[in-house]
Amino acid sequence: MAWSCPAPLRDQPRVVMGHGGGGAMSAELVEHVFAPAFGGEVLRQLGDAAAVTLGGARLAFSTDSFVVRPLFFPGGSIGDLAVNGTVNDLAMSGARAAYLSCGFILEEGVEMPVVARVARAMGAAARAAGVEIATGDTKVVEAGHGDGVYINTAGIGLIPPGVDLRPDRVVPGDVVIVSGPLGVHGVAIMSVREGLEFGVEIESDCAPLGGLVDAMLAVTPDLHVLRDPTRGGLAASLNEIAAASGAGVVVRERAVPVPPEVANACAILGLDPWYVANEGKLVAFVPREHADAVLAAMRAHPLGTQACVIGEAVPDHPGMVVARTGLGGTRVVDLPIGEQLPRIC
């Protein structure tokens, strides 16, 4: 029996790298292949983590796979990413991660000291995030059929009472806040991978965001939605929220914090920093009446000292993200099709 797809995936008969980039091709793969096959009400949330009720408790449950190259980079490693990535996905549901699972897929021939170094990095990252790696698995694939080390982590955490973070809670008037400078992680990876010099070493922003989210929720549990802009960067996160909520989003272009070294590197590489992955930043849609207090709480936390307001949700152009330029014009901020930078998270 021939395989058929419910809708065309941009005329791609085979999987290409763009299907893993967090943009439109990734969304189409989920929408047209995985979601129809799996079904289920929980899956329809399509958030960073699924919110489920089990035994009377509200849990957040998430899984992620990490295939970064190189394995070690300024500011972190694949081990740090594997812990912080899943911890942060849980945090975007308002949950504090409690337990992680860990699956290693190792390529035959990888040096054992490399594996040990990755494992130590994971252990240290888990302790720093206050989470326990409780179970795991290891598989080995033949030489030439992997890329040294791949890691999958899944995690669970409790969602506090009164917390309900969903993109469909976004309403016009909500204030859009980012927790700090963007594009740092992706540029850090690219600088090492390509051996580029930008006059200053750029380090990944990889960090666990649970404490920052706790500080925000201590101000009010009535945050509307949180996202960590990893694959696809800020642009992908804003477009996903706009599409799910039906609200329009307006961003002030000059308000988006992009460090000069990241802007310069992106200019050299032909990249747009709004689409570059981050691993220690979040985007929040906050009711206007709570925005000042939430912003102050973020700036009082070590991971939010440079938090700032970049825009708002509006009733105009529903489901669309636009940027107001410094010259007073506007431009549409599209969802990326594939990916700019391969294998950075």
Side-chain angles (χ1 to χ4, degrees), residues 169-254:
R169 294 194 64 217
V170 170
V171 295
D174 282 357
V175 173
V176 183
I177 302 174
V178 295
S179 62
L182 302 172
V184 180
H185 173 73
V187 171
I189 297 292
M190 202 64 176
S191 65
V192 176
R193 181 183 300 161
E194 303 301 331
L196 301 175
E197 297 286 344
F198 300 116
V200 60
E201 184 177 71
I202 301 174
E203 291 193 354
S204 170
D205 59 352
C206 183
L209 295 171
L212 177 61
V213 173
D214 286 347
M216 298 167 68
L217 291 173
V219 174
T220 174
D222 188 31
L223 306 179
H224 284 170
V225 69
L226 302 177
R227 280 287 188 274
D228 57 335
T230 52
R231 292 180 303 168
L234 173 69
S237 292
L238 293 178
N239 271 279
E240 289 168 1
I241 292 169
S245 67
V249 178
V250 173
V251 178
R252 296 187 298 277
E253 193 172 66
R254 289 184 173 178

Side-chain angles (χ1 to χ4, degrees), residues 207-337:
L209 295 171
L212 177 61
V213 173
D214 286 347
M216 298 167 68
L217 291 173
V219 174
T220 174
D222 188 31
L223 306 179
H224 284 170
V225 69
L226 302 177
R227 280 287 188 274
D228 57 335
T230 52
R231 292 180 303 168
L234 173 69
S237 292
L238 293 178
N239 271 279
E240 289 168 1
I241 292 169
S245 67
V249 178
V250 173
V251 178
R252 296 187 298 277
E253 193 172 66
R254 289 184 173 178
V256 176
V258 178
E261 59 271 23
V262 170
N264 294 337
C266 286
I268 293 171
L269 297 169
L271 305 175
D272 185 335
W274 287 30
Y275 293 89
V276 174
N278 311 270
E279 286 292 345
K281 300 296 187 298
L282 64 79
V283 180
F285 281 65
V286 181
R288 185 171 297 277
E289 62 268 25
H290 300 304
D292 289 344
V294 170
L295 182 61
M298 295 174 72
R299 289 176 172 172
H301 189 277
L303 295 179
T305 57
Q306 299 182 67
C308 59
V309 174
I310 63 168
E312 63 181 338
V314 297
D316 305 321
H317 49 78
M320 183 181 297
V321 181
V322 302
R324 288 184 179 152
T325 68
L327 297 176
T330 60
R331 64 180 178 88
V332 175
V333 181
D334 289 323
L335 186 69
I337 300 300

Side-chain angles (χ1 to χ4, degrees), residues 6-309:
L9 279 78
R10 297 189 184 271
D11 299 320
Q12 290 288 348
R14 299 178 186 273
V15 173
V16 298
M17 291 299 293
H19 286 120
M25 294 180 72
S26 294
E28 289 175 352
L29 184 64
V30 172
E31 179 183 356
H32 298 306
V33 177
F34 297 133
F38 300 158
E41 290 298 321
V42 174
L43 184 63
R44 289 192 180 95
Q45 298 174 23
L46 293 180
D48 289 334
V52 299
T53 301
L54 186 64
R58 291 185 68 224
L59 301 175
F61 179 36
S62 183
T63 186
D64 206 344
S65 298
F66 301 86
V67 293
V68 66
R69 180 168 53 86
L71 298 176
F72 306 96
F73 47 83
S77 70
I78 191 173
D80 299 285
L81 288 177
V83 171
N84 293 334
T86 295
V87 165
N88 292 346
D89 283 347
L90 296 172
M92 297 307 103
S93 295
R96 194 64 185 265
Y99 298 100
L100 299 183
S101 68
C102 169
F104 272 78
I105 301 175
L106 306 175
E107 182 183 12
E108 181 184 23
V110 66
E111 296 87 352
M112 196 62 72
V114 170
V115 179
R117 183 180 172 189
V118 171
R120 289 195 298 270
M122 287 192 71
R127 288 187 289 274
V131 66
E132 181 179 348
I133 300 175
T135 187
D137 182 56
T138 304
K139 294 292 186 293
V140 177
V141 298
E142 295 88 347
H145 291 266
D147 199 6
V149 178
Y150 296 159
I151 301 176
N152 172 274
T153 48
I156 57 173
L158 283 171
I159 301 175
V163 174
D164 184 19
L165 299 175
R166 292 178 285 115
D168 55 7
R169 294 194 64 217
V170 170
V171 295
D174 282 357
V175 173
V176 183
I177 302 174
V178 295
S179 62
L182 302 172
V184 180
H185 173 73
V187 171
I189 297 292
M190 202 64 176
S191 65
V192 176
R193 181 183 300 161
E194 303 301 331
L196 301 175
E197 297 286 344
F198 300 116
V200 60
E201 184 177 71
I202 301 174
E203 291 193 354
S204 170
D205 59 352
C206 183
L209 295 171
L212 177 61
V213 173
D214 286 347
M216 298 167 68
L217 291 173
V219 174
T220 174
D222 188 31
L223 306 179
H224 284 170
V225 69
L226 302 177
R227 280 287 188 274
D228 57 335
T230 52
R231 292 180 303 168
L234 173 69
S237 292
L238 293 178
N239 271 279
E240 289 168 1
I241 292 169
S245 67
V249 178
V250 173
V251 178
R252 296 187 298 277
E253 193 172 66
R254 289 184 173 178
V256 176
V258 178
E261 59 271 23
V262 170
N264 294 337
C266 286
I268 293 171
L269 297 169
L271 305 175
D272 185 335
W274 287 30
Y275 293 89
V276 174
N278 311 270
E279 286 292 345
K281 300 296 187 298
L282 64 79
V283 180
F285 281 65
V286 181
R288 185 171 297 277
E289 62 268 25
H290 300 304
D292 289 344
V294 170
L295 182 61
M298 295 174 72
R299 289 176 172 172
H301 189 277
L303 295 179
T305 57
Q306 299 182 67
C308 59
V309 174

